[in-house]
Amino acid sequence: MTTRIHADFDKRIVVKPDDYVWVDSPSTGVQRMMLDRIGDEVARATSIVRFAPNSEFSSHQHPGGEEFLVLDGVFSDEHQDYTQGYYVRNPIGTSHTPKIGKDGATIFVKLQQFKQTDTTQKAVDTQTTPWHPGLVDGLEVMPLHNFESEQVALVKWAPNTQFTTHTHYAGEEILVLAGTFYDEHGVYPAGTWIRSPHLSKHTPFTKDDGALIYVKTGHL
């Protein structure tokens, strides 16, 4: 039977760090927190993946593309070492063999979610990429990828910043990387993943600790 986790994309989903359940992968030392998934070992999936020091993952292709953000440690393959903060896109048909060093690594990864015509391969070091002013005072934005309606960015929220009420056409997905993110629906500490469906809306803000978020819109 096909594994289905948070597979109804018309529903709003919130997963907080206290909700994490780590599942062993087929590779020793590699564990996954499955956020959403349709499929078995080869799946349309959004996950947080934790690699123990000196672990390896078997060589594999990306039949539907791969997108990941390095949350901590150093993620390595035969192409490059990706330190904390790297944002990487490997289009449909690419392949690699992850091999992790002494520091281990944790990544946020999305598989089999590329459009066929989105063929840009990229590796962005977000630690050195410049920020741009956001739409309101207190926001800074780092665009990472844009293709048709899909937009991916990091957004840095200063403490006590208020954003306008807005509607998510084709959905919104957020991973809180630091600080605490808020809206009228709840409180979201670092490590929280939020997936909001097409035409959902909210009015987000921060308090004294500010926030840093990964955000993807226009893809659901």
Side-chain angles (χ1 to χ4, degrees):
M1 181 179 293
T2 299
T3 300
R4 298 181 69 86
I5 298 171
H6 296 145
D8 184 347
F9 294 91
D10 291 328
K11 291 185 176 179
R12 182 176 185 268
I13 303 295
V14 177
V15 178
K16 297 184 179 182
D18 288 346
D19 303 321
Y20 286 9
V21 177
W22 294 97
V23 178
D24 290 336
S25 81
S27 297
T28 301
V30 182
Q31 295 182 305
R32 296 180 285 210
M33 168 56 209
M34 298 179 182
L35 299 170
D36 66 30
R37 193 174 191 90
I38 303 173
D40 296 312
E41 188 51 36
V42 177
R44 183 211 184 280
T46 303
S47 309
I48 297 173
V49 183
R50 185 166 64 185
F51 296 83
N54 304 308
S55 59
E56 299 182 15
F57 200 84
S58 57
S59 180
H60 59 277
Q61 286 195 323
H62 307 126
E66 175 191 64
E67 170 191 9
F68 67 85
L69 177 68
V70 181
L71 303 179
D72 63 50
V74 182
F75 179 88
S76 301
D77 60 17
E78 66 271 37
H79 307 298
Q80 191 173 333
D81 295 327
Y82 307 99
T83 53
Q84 180 178 353
Y86 256 94
Y87 172 77
V88 180
R89 292 183 69 89
N90 293 317
I92 294 170
T94 57
S95 63
H96 68 165
T97 308
K99 187 172 183 179
I100 310 304
K102 62 181 178 60
D103 297 320
T106 304
I107 66 172
F108 171 72
V109 59
K110 298 178 68 65
L111 299 172
Q112 297 211 58
Q113 299 178 40
F114 279 41
K115 295 181 179 178
Q116 288 284 340
T117 48
D118 187 357
T119 58
T120 300
Q121 188 159 15
K122 60 174 60 175
V124 180
D125 182 357
T126 66
Q127 302 287 0
T128 59
T129 300
W131 292 89
H132 303 281
L135 294 175
V136 300
D137 289 343
L139 283 190
E140 292 182 274
V141 178
M142 183 187 299
L144 297 175
H145 186 70
N146 295 289
F147 185 79
E148 296 180 353
S149 64
E150 179 182 326
Q151 298 188 43
V152 186
L154 296 186
V155 183
K156 187 189 300 183
W157 294 67
N160 304 304
T161 296
Q162 176 71 61
F163 197 65
T164 54
T165 301
H166 59 281
T167 300
H168 308 126
Y169 185 83
E172 178 189 63
E173 187 174 346
I174 287 172
L175 181 67
V176 183
L177 303 174
T180 310
F181 186 71
Y182 298 81
D183 64 14
E184 66 272 36
H185 307 299
V187 178
Y188 315 106
T192 301
W193 177 74
I194 308 160
R195 194 187 71 203
S196 300
H198 175 56
L199 298 183
S200 58
K201 63 176 62 177
H202 69 162
T203 311
F205 59 96
T206 54
K207 295 187 179 180
D208 290 348
D209 56 347
L212 174 65
I213 65 173
Y214 156 99
V215 60
K216 181 195 283 279
T217 60
H219 64 301
L220 298 175

